[in-house]
Structures are given as C-alpha cells and as structure tokens.
Amino acid sequence: MDSRGHSECLAQKSERRRVSFVPAPPLGPKYKTGEGSRLPSKPLSYTIEAAICSQNGKRSITQDELDTIRQEYENLKLASPSDAARVVVPEWNDFNSGGASVHFTSDQMLYNNPYVTKAPYNQVANVTLDHYHELADDVWNEYNRLLGTPGVPGKFPLDAGSTWRNPQRNEVSSLAPYSMHVRGRAVDLEPLKTAFVPGKTRQQLMCVLYQAGLNLHLGQKNKAIPDDTELFAEVGNDNVDDQCIRVDVDHIHFAR
Ligand SMILES: [Zn+2]
C-alpha cells in the first residue's frame, strides 16, 4: 500500500486495526512437598501481535532468569493461600552476585543450586535474601569458640548443606511453603565430614553445633517470647527438634 492509501486506511473507523495480547500464565498446582523441581523453572513467554491496515507486527517476550525466579514467588501465593499475605516477591535489585562469606566459600553458599548458574545471578543475595551469610558466620564463630580452648579460637570447619532456596526448589523437600530458606534467612550446617575433631564423635559435634545456635538465641526453647528464629536438629528433611545426639541427625537448621 502506498503512503496515501495507508493514511486513508488509518483514517477509517477500522475493524481492520487489531491488537491482541492474551497472556496465559499456567496456574501452579497447590504446594505439595516432594513436587517442585531442583532445575530451573520454565520462563513464561507471551506473544503480542498487532495488525494495523496492512502492517503486521509480532513480538515474543520471554522472562529472564530473575523474573522467572520472581514468578515463582508469585506462584507461591497462588499455590499456598495460607502464606499469600506474607510472601514477599523480591524486587529486581534485590538480587546481586552474592558470593562467599567470611568463613564459607561461594560454592558452599551456593550449595550446588543449579537453578541460578550465571553471573551475576549465581547467587541470590540482598537486603531481604542474604541474611544467611551473616548467620552462617555467626554460627561458625560460636561453634569454633565452643571447641577451642579458652582464648584460642578453634579452626573446625563446617559445611553448608542448604541456604537460600527458590520456591520451586524448596517444594522438593520442605513442609513449609514459605520456609525461612525461601526468605533467605536459613542455613543448614554440619561439621565438615572430612574434618575430625580429636575426642569428639560426629554426633557430639552436632550437639556442639546445636549449642552454638542456643548461644545465639535461636529457636524458641530458650526464649520467653517466641519470635521467628529457628533451631532444629534434622534428619534429611525431618525436624527432630533438639535431638542432636541421634545418630541419624545429619545437619542443624538455623534461621533468623
Ligand atoms: Zn533447613
């Protein structure tokens, strides 16, 4: 069509102008422990088509990795109505490259989470989601203080089994949809398996680790007023509360 024709076309009251935008995000099924995925979620993608007179346009918009993660928090509201009111969806600038803490390497803090693999998103850490870095260091310091001789800090390493979890990943294992792990406020720690401490069994070390949590005023056992800190001995994903000496306890969960 020549330009005159095109102008005439645009001037007409036109049924020939058409814009369609039909987003159809899949509603997530209700939260159910054991479902979810350790792998990256599928990004949502929309196609927008517009046609005016003879001109057509078509664009696809696909979520990037950050928005895919943010979408998981939105989905969590739908999938877990009981948590909907308190779920906080991270903002874009809530994410940064995170990294190591004082006592834990970046890999330990990332704990083999294949979800976020690319810099700068290889670790999600921010004002709302990175509390676990400082928490892990505080526990390390207290655990080493307990194991060291007075005045001589110990050098007994810990390993981090789980830190921040995106909601999809959390659903694989956690009974709590909006777990402290999803909020970036929890860390699961255990004595490094290859680091032996003379005179202590692994289970005794678990109890030293648990005691470090008590000393940091975590959990509700030593509090008059419960708040949202947590301290549990755990066997896999099962909370066995304060039974750190059980031979099957494999980590201690800390949150604040
Ligand atoms: Zn945990």
Side-chain angles (χ1 to χ4, degrees), residues 27-121:
L27 288 186
K30 203 165 167 20
Y31 183 95
K32 191 166 163 221
T33 308
E35 301 197 344
S37 174
R38 286 175 185 274
L39 299 173
S41 304
K42 247 191 142 125
L44 296 183
S45 191
Y46 302 125
T47 300
I48 300 169
E49 284 188 75
I52 300 175
C53 298
S54 64
Q55 316 240 318
N56 289 291
K58 188 171 174 177
R59 288 279 180 281
S60 288
I61 299 173
T62 303
Q63 287 179 322
D64 65 11
E65 192 170 34
L66 282 194
D67 276 335
T68 306
I69 297 170
R70 296 179 68 242
Q71 185 69 47
E72 291 183 12
Y73 284 82
E74 289 290 355
N75 292 351
L76 184 58
K77 291 185 185 186
L78 298 169
S80 177
S82 58
D83 287 307
R86 60 201 185 108
V87 171
V88 176
V89 180
E91 296 295 331
W92 290 278
N93 56 8
D94 283 343
F95 296 80
N96 66 37
S97 57
S101 70
V102 175
H103 295 298
F104 295 84
T105 64
S106 173
D107 277 355
Q108 284 181 305
M109 292 278 98
L110 190 59
Y111 79 102
N112 301 318
N113 186 342
Y115 186 93
V116 276
T117 51
K118 297 188 289 287
Y121 312 131

Side-chain angles (χ1 to χ4, degrees), residues 115-181:
Y115 186 93
V116 276
T117 51
K118 297 188 289 287
Y121 312 131
N122 59 352
Q123 187 143 17
V124 177
N126 60 42
V127 284
T128 52
L129 293 176
D130 75 351
H131 296 281
Y132 62 88
H133 283 82
E134 189 183 89
L135 174 59
D137 282 338
D138 285 353
V139 172
W140 194 99
N141 286 333
E142 182 58 17
Y143 173 78
N144 274 269
R145 191 187 69 77
L146 289 170
L147 287 174
T149 48
V152 183
K155 279 207 173 129
F156 304 107
L158 294 170
D159 208 5
S162 192
T163 56
W164 171 76
R165 297 179 194 144
N166 50 292
Q168 273 292 316
R169 187 182 177 94
N170 186 62
E171 191 169 351
V172 173
S173 59
S174 176
L175 291 168
Y178 197 39
S179 140
M180 292 288 247
H181 284 286

Side-chain angles (χ1 to χ4, degrees), residues 162-163 165 179 181 186-188 230 232 234 251-254:
S162 192
T163 56
R165 297 179 194 144
S179 140
H181 284 286
V187 61
D188 295 339
E230 294 170 347
F232 313 130
E234 294 192 314
H251 68 271
I252 309 291
H253 164 102
F254 305 87

